[in-house]
């Protein structure tokens, strides 16, 4: 059973400043559970690459990036990785 927390994120709602990495990494756990390991690994690598290599981070990590910018960078990294993305 999963239950979200209440009143989480109200201070950053509609500001394009939320950090999307936790949600994406949690999604990777679900993909692993479904035995879709290649997709989970592809997303994990893209998240880690964006945070570590491009230094594009949201304010909670000390960066200046917006949610949209971080997601766009992660998406671009995934799309550049090759054949697995043909099906997405």
């Amino acid at each position: 059973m999963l239950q979200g927390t209440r009143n989480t994120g109200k201070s950053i709602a509609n500001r394009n400043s939320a950090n999307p990495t936790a949600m994406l990494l949690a999604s990777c756990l679900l993909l692993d559970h479904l035995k879709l390991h290649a997709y989970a690994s592809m997303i994990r690598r893209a998240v880690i690459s964006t945070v570590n290599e491009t230094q594009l981070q949201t304010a909670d990590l000390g960066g200046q990036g917006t949610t949209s910018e971080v997601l766009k960078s992660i998406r671009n990294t995934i799309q550049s990785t090759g054949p697995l993305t043909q099906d997405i």
Side-chain angles (χ1 to χ4, degrees):
M1 172 185 258
L2 302 172
Q3 179 178 348
T5 58
R6 289 192 263 178
N7 301 323
T8 302
K10 284 188 175 185
S11 64
I12 60 171
N14 300 316
R15 290 187 165 176
N16 200 24
S17 63
N19 186 341
T21 58
M23 182 264 314
L24 290 170
L25 294 174
S27 298
C28 291
L29 294 174
L30 176 63
L31 290 169
D32 282 332
H33 178 73
L34 297 172
K35 303 202 183 328
L36 297 170
H37 304 294
Y39 292 105
S41 294
M42 182 175 43
I43 294 168
R44 270 190 203 97
R45 282 192 300 271
V47 169
I48 291 167
S49 172
T50 295
V51 172
N52 291 337
E53 295 172 22
T54 67
Q55 297 296 310
L56 182 58
Q57 301 167 354
T58 52
D60 63 315
L61 297 176
Q64 301 290 323
T66 65
T67 304
S68 298
E69 291 169 337
V70 171
L71 286 171
K72 186 175 185 179
S73 176
I74 292 169
R75 184 193 65 212
N76 290 342
T77 301
I78 290 170
Q79 288 176 336
S80 71
T81 59
L84 280 176
T85 60
Q86 299 297 320
D87 297 331
I88 297 177

